[in-house]
Amino acid sequence: MRGRPYDFAAIEARWRRAWDEQGIYRTPEPSSRPKQYVLDFFPYPSGAGLSVGHARNYVPTDVLARYFRMRGNAVLHPMGWDAFGLPAENEALLRGRHPGETTREYAANYRAQLSLLGCSYDWSREIATSDPAFYRWTQWGFLLLHRQGLAYRAAGWQWWCPKCQTILANEQVEAGRCWRHGDTPVERRSLEQWYVRTTAFADRLLRDLDDLDWPEHVKTMQRNWIGRAAGAEIRFPVAWGGGEITVFTTRPETLPAATFIALAPEHPRAVELASADRRDDVERFVMGALRRTEIDRMVGAGIARTANGGMADGGDARGIFTGAFAAHPTSGDLVPVYVADHVLAHYRTGAVMGVPACDERDAAFARRFGLPVGTGRPIGDPDGVLADVARRGAGGPAVRYRMRDWLISRQRYWGAPIPIVYCERCGTVPVPEDQLPVRLPEVARYEPSGDGRSPLAAIPEFVHTTCPQCAGPAERETDTLDGFADSNWYFLRFADIRYDTGPWHPEAAGYWLPVDWYIGGVEHAVMHLLYARFFTKVLQDAGLITFGEPFVRLRNQGSMLSPSDGARMSKSRGNVVTPDDVVAQHGADALRLAVMFIGPFDQDVTWDPDAARGAARFVRRLHVLIARAAEAAARPAPPATGEPPEAEALRRRLHHATKTAGELIEGFRFNVLVAELMTLLNDLELLESGRVGTPQWREAMLILARIIAPVTPFLAEEAWAMLGGEGSVHGSSWPKVDPALTAEGDAEATIVVQVDGRMRDRIVVAGTPDRDALIEAARGGERVRAALRGREVANVVVVPGRVVNFVTRARTS
RNA sequence: GCCGGGGUGGCGGAAUUGGCAGGCGCGCGGGACUCAAAAUCCCGUGGGCGAAAGCCCGUGUGGGUUCGACUCCCACCCCCGGCACCA
């Protein structure tokens, strides 16, 4: 036949419309069928739209979802929008438009782009976190935390980003700078904030990592973040002043050599302990230290690296003597108490013992302030020292975590209002659940005020309310919830987004959850995933769900770098390649192939325009092969009759392809998957002659259409239709694999013949010949005989179905 | 410094986990078609020697185990990511 060029644009558009009309990706109702919950990290829809980098995330998950559907699983594969939060608000601010409006618009664009790619989301389950029907339940979650004693309000020194005009959580501060504004050093402010007691679950969050099927480096990052350290707390009585100072150490055995105490500037007793003559100086020092960022203090102390990677010499390590002394708990010696820049307040007790003999930093500090370094080998055994300390009632073992509680309040407009009311008479009162949601009011101005309060504080109608308890006058909390409060639990909502008597439908969630496959970028390795794990454990403890981990398997796709500058694609850099352009040029199937074939799923790769061209070539060749078969099958009298040559070979080839394709999909080896499909096509082109027009060939093509269906859904559907398949190929089942046809050995096998481990020949044998026959056959080749000439065979290694190796030595006689 | 991952042709990367290194694709070279170009198709493509058959070398470096090592062990070099005051 004279093949018309493959008109991907028309064909893809036609099937896109047909699938949409038929709703073939509608999630089935819970049943006894085994389920697969395949979930992408939900994005915040930005005005920039999707880049081909996003396709590296969404296309492979789509392949996975399609594959499982064909395998007979009930599949939940939804998409939603992380619409609340700073990124969405900053974007809207930039454009001078209401974030609700831009979010809706951008989400629609995302949806269209994802459909363009052929992603099989069930759009009837779309959610947006900024929807009151959704954030009603985010607020419910906060109240649950509050009820459990896991949400509390406290004052403290907070990170403040002058650009964002808001408080940042510790983890949003990177090297002393705002995570969104790398050029902006953060400042410190003291404010009343809401916290969530994530530290209460530190141990479980750490332990439960062991059983998760997650990338090892993500687990490592979480372990680092949680930062468990076992050690001891030791109390030093304050001489004369009364009370005591508690220090934490992971090396209690060095206690005998401790020569001073150092307090954090924030330590509550830092100033109070100072002797009268030194109090002013100490106070001045403390105030100075508080104004500086932690990183700055560390750099000065020669501990952390400076911005350019250099190390300060530590010469200006700052500290000041308070004039106070404490009694060493075991020796009774008096040791001086200092306030030191480099001691951190929130790190356990905010006080350390200085052991210059064992610790470089302490040694530097001691040198600078002329403190005794202590005697040579002070190390005792930890148990002995601890026993001694315990006997004196001066402390004992303690465990500490680096992780801090989650600061959840934001002084921003675009988030779920914290459902709390402050009443003069009743104090802090949670909004009753039946009064949720506390709606975000429409405002004219939603820019942050810059005075540390959210714009909601400027809306009297919002602020002034009545106390739910006493009905007296009261004021609403005006802070909103951090966006991670939404992504904490959204995966539960997808089980049934219309359920309105609770955050999730108990039966539906019982069926679909936990998430079987969770896929997204590694940038959320700590915060989102840790908070979601935390919240899941809270729900489990409250008896609301039965599982303790939300995401059974986690996979991170690598990012897509731009060929123009080798950097990650971003609108600000102007180096974005859009999927729209690639689809227009080569088609969606080609784009899907290209983003998968370009490199291993979890690896960073550089976009290569040639990759799409190559993929398009593959699509065309597939189409030509199938179209030829379809046309031949449609002819009234098939040219060939009877069993065609080597029917077995064709059958084997397809069964093998089916088997490997399935394994590669489940193993997330999409680049190898595409390579296998290309190899399959090459082989089929070789097998084609003499078979076209036979029923067996048509059958083979129908199997081929099903194998490629997850990967190139448009072409597969077209092929299915051309070949006269029933219904949609995406409603058909994954081809059955007959183990007998994929097993090695019972047909013919190629055996490698080696002499002294060097490949010299290969022979083809049928069935499983015995050892002697194999050796005889192996010996026959000309190359083997040449290699054996003049040598004596000392041994023959035979690996059935694989290799025959003649081990020789020089002929002695 | 500690932890995790990695180093294979011109390039992206494969190799059933100890058994043919370089499958698949890109690029490149040659050819066919074309007035020509693009597209498409065919052949070739790790390095060296050789007309060829073939031989030798070759998976970051050096050693080791093994009949046989990209794969396992020891030492080292380099790259990427994470952590790094955390007492």
Side-chain angles (χ1 to χ4, degrees):
Chain A
M1 69 166 257
R2 191 63 258 137
R4 290 165 304 280
Y6 180 59
D7 185 0
F8 60 82
I11 289 167
E12 290 180 357
R14 188 169 79 236
W15 291 120
R16 201 175 285 125
R17 203 174 323 115
W19 296 337
D20 198 37
E21 280 162 12
Q22 294 159 18
I24 66 169
Y25 304 127
R26 195 62 56 78
T27 311
E29 288 303 307
S31 67
S32 58
R33 267 201 295 166
K35 61 94 186 180
Q36 294 283 351
Y37 187 173
V38 180
L39 185 64
D40 299 291
F41 290 14
F42 70 161
Y44 85 90
S46 91
L50 298 177
S51 76
V52 285
H54 293 91
R56 284 206 80 203
N57 187 165
Y58 305 134
V59 168
T61 49
D62 186 62
V63 172
L64 192 67
R66 289 177 180 277
Y67 168 73
F68 280 130
R69 278 191 209 105
M70 294 179 76
R71 289 293 303 262
N73 289 290
V75 171
L76 176 57
H77 185 44
M79 180 50 83
W81 318 112
D82 194 9
F84 265 151
L86 280 177
E89 181 172 318
N90 285 342
E91 168 84 15
L93 274 171
L94 204 68
R95 288 161 196 281
R97 295 173 58 194
H98 189 280
E101 197 183 305
T102 52
T103 296
R104 247 189 317 279
E105 192 177 306
Y106 297 160
N109 183 40
Y110 267 49
R111 203 164 46 234
Q113 284 186 300
L114 289 167
S115 296
L116 190 67
L117 297 180
C119 290
S120 59
Y121 297 113
D122 176 359
W123 288 112
S124 70
R125 291 187 188 232
E126 181 182 355
I127 59 176
T129 55
S130 55
D131 181 347
F134 181 89
Y135 72 68
R136 168 187 181 186
W137 301 112
T138 306
Q139 293 172 333
W140 171 91
F142 177 84
L143 293 178
L144 173 71
L145 293 170
H146 190 257
R147 197 160 58 238
Q148 309 277 60
L150 293 168
Y152 63 95
R153 205 156 179 253
W157 286 97
Q158 302 305 337
W159 299 113
W160 172 268
C161 173
K163 281 239 179 95
C164 299
Q165 297 280 315
T166 190
I167 300 298
L168 302 174
N170 284 310
E171 45 273 41
Q172 290 166 347
V173 178
E174 293 162 356
R177 281 154 201 284
C178 172
W179 68 329
R180 294 288 172 204
H181 302 102
D183 56 339
T184 307
V186 294
E187 298 165 6
R188 309 203 73 191
R189 293 198 177 187
S190 182
L191 288 167
E192 284 268 307
Q193 300 283 306
W194 281 98
Y195 291 85
V196 174
R197 214 177 294 280
T198 46
T199 53
F201 287 71
D203 207 41
R204 273 164 72 191
L205 289 168
L206 186 66
R207 270 203 328 263
D208 292 353
L209 281 172
D210 294 343
D211 300 325
L212 294 178
D213 181 0
W214 284 21
E216 205 47 52
H217 71 280
V218 173
K219 293 199 207 179
T220 305
M221 283 162 79
Q222 295 219 347
R223 289 193 187 104
N224 286 341
W225 184 261
I226 295 165
R228 184 182 197 273
E233 283 187 359
I234 300 169
R235 290 187 287 275
F236 286 63
V238 175
W240 311 303
E244 49 196 17
I245 295 168
T246 304
V247 303
F248 177 75
T249 177
T250 54
R251 299 191 56 196
E253 70 276 17
T254 65
L255 174 65
T259 60
F260 65 95
I261 298 282
L263 305 180
E266 294 91 341
H267 194 281
R269 300 193 65 191
V271 176
E272 170 216 321
L273 278 173
S275 56
D277 58 319
R278 306 192 59 86
R279 182 153 302 174
D280 285 352
D281 289 344
V282 171
E283 204 165 337
R284 203 169 309 120
F285 176 85
V286 166
M287 293 320 289
L290 293 184
R291 266 196 297 275
R292 300 163 68 203
T293 64
E294 279 183 5
I295 199 76
D296 198 25
R297 280 160 56 182
M298 292 313 114
V299 169
I303 288 158
R305 275 168 209 287
T306 54
N308 57 23
M311 201 77 167
D313 63 2
D316 61 342
R318 296 192 200 194
I320 190 167
F321 179 43
T322 59
F325 288 87
H328 191 289
T330 57
S331 72
D333 295 344
L334 290 185
V335 296
V337 178
Y338 277 73
V339 177
D341 239 7
H342 69 273
V343 180
L344 299 184
H346 42 69
Y347 189 71
R348 196 69 195 202
T349 63
V352 301
M353 60 184 197
V355 189
C358 303
D359 185 290
E360 253 178 74
R361 288 181 318 253
D362 291 348
F365 194 84
R367 259 197 312 280
R368 177 162 165 91
F369 293 97
L371 292 161
V373 165
T375 46
R377 299 263 106 204
I379 315 290
D381 80 291
D383 295 339
V385 173
L386 269 180
D388 194 14
V389 167
R391 197 163 46 244
R392 294 163 196 267
V399 172
R400 137 286 131 165
Y401 298 92
R402 203 181 71 97
M403 188 172 119
R404 304 173 197 179
D405 280 343
W406 172 24
L407 199 168
I408 201 176
S409 45
R410 293 289 179 277
Q411 294 68 50
R412 280 286 193 156
Y413 171 70
W414 196 234
I418 294 177
I420 291 286
V421 163
Y422 301 106
C423 167
E424 273 177 42
R425 218 174 318 164
C426 312
T428 303
V429 182
V431 174
E433 279 178 26
D434 58 11
Q435 291 176 26
L436 297 180
V438 176
R439 279 179 182 268
L440 198 54
E442 291 298 320
V443 290
R445 297 180 48 78
Y446 45 86
E447 288 85 352
S449 59
D451 65 354
R453 282 146 51 98
S454 111
L456 296 183
I459 305 169
E461 314 88 85
F462 177 79
V463 175
H464 299 300
T465 184
T466 53
C467 172
Q469 269 174 31
C470 70
E475 295 197 347
R476 284 194 191 281
E477 168 67 63
T478 57
D479 283 357
T480 52
L481 290 167
D482 180 8
F484 288 119
D486 309 309
S487 54
N488 243 345
W489 76 280
Y490 75 108
F491 46 90
L492 280 155
R493 187 68 187 162
F494 279 127
D496 182 344
I497 67 161
R498 270 164 271 279
Y499 189 66
D500 66 355
T501 53
W504 61 85
H505 191 297
E507 284 88 58
Y511 177 70
W512 290 112
L513 275 285
V515 176
D516 297 286
W517 305 84
Y518 197 35
I519 289 89
V522 76
E523 65 273 11
H524 289 111
V526 177
M527 285 185 271
H528 160 57
L529 290 172
L530 196 69
Y531 294 150
R533 294 182 58 222
F534 160 81
F535 194 60
T536 300
K537 291 178 193 309
V538 172
L539 296 176
Q540 184 187 34
D541 286 4
L544 298 169
I545 55 176
T546 55
F547 51 94
E549 286 289 341
F551 314 119
V552 177
R553 294 179 199 82
L554 177 75
R555 301 288 182 265
N556 301 120
Q557 86 279 5
S559 49
M560 184 76 84
L561 310 178
S562 174
S564 57
D565 56 4
R568 281 188 75 146
M569 288 187 185
S570 73
K571 204 185 180 193
S572 58
R573 288 176 185 272
N575 61 1
V576 175
V577 179
T578 70
D580 310 59
D581 287 347
V582 179
V583 170
Q585 210 178 342
H586 301 291
D589 283 332
L591 172 59
R592 292 168 66 99
L593 287 162
V595 296
M596 289 190 282
F597 189 54
I598 198 163
F601 174 76
D602 57 359
Q603 196 174 295
D604 289 357
V605 294
T606 306
W607 174 250
D608 175 8
D610 286 333
R613 292 196 321 124
R617 205 170 294 166
F618 174 59
V619 171
R620 275 195 298 271
R621 279 173 60 205
L622 272 171
H623 179 254
V624 166
L625 181 80
I626 294 165
R628 201 154 44 212
E631 206 155 289
R635 272 199 289 269
T641 51
E643 186 79 337
E646 300 164 53
E648 175 92 351
L650 177 60
R651 215 171 294 131
R652 273 181 176 283
R653 188 63 190 87
L654 287 163
H655 279 256
H656 179 258
T658 307
K659 180 164 178 277
T660 36
E663 288 166 357
L664 291 168
I665 290 170
E666 292 184 49
F668 269 66
R669 308 192 55 210
F670 299 101
N671 58 326
V672 187
L673 169 70
V674 175
E676 282 302 324
L677 296 179
M678 289 173 165
T679 310
L680 174 64
L681 173 61
N682 290 344
D683 292 346
L684 287 174
E685 284 175 341
L686 293 175
L687 289 164
E688 186 183 14
S689 104
R691 291 189 170 91
V692 192
T694 64
Q696 200 214 1
W697 188 249
R698 177 176 173 272
E699 207 48 51
M701 291 298 107
L702 283 168
I703 291 174
L704 174 64
R706 284 187 283 157
I707 296 177
I708 63 173
V711 177
T712 53
F714 297 99
L715 172 65
E717 191 75 308
E718 180 71 7
W720 192 254
M722 286 191 296
L723 294 162
E726 229 172 278
S728 166
V729 71
H730 303 299
S732 73
S733 62
W734 189 249
K736 293 267 177 305
V737 176
D738 179 354
L741 289 173
T742 55
E744 285 181 43
D746 39 349
E748 60 184 29
T750 304
I751 308 284
V752 171
V753 184
Q754 300 175 334
V755 177
D756 293 319
R758 305 178 73 93
M759 204 276 285
R760 294 293 160 173
D761 200 5
R762 53 190 75 125
I763 55 173
V764 177
V765 298
T768 41
D770 64 28
R771 187 187 152 90
D772 290 343
L774 205 54
I775 291 173
E776 242 2 87
R779 209 190 276 277
E782 183 47 49
R783 289 181 61 201
V784 176
R785 281 214 299 273
L788 289 175
R789 202 158 292 143
R791 301 192 67 83
E792 188 175 343
V793 175
N795 187 20
V796 185
V797 179
V798 177
V799 181
R802 288 267 166 76
V803 78
V804 175
N805 186 15
F806 296 97
V807 185
T808 72
R809 57 174 167 246
R811 188 160 284 162
T812 46
S813 53

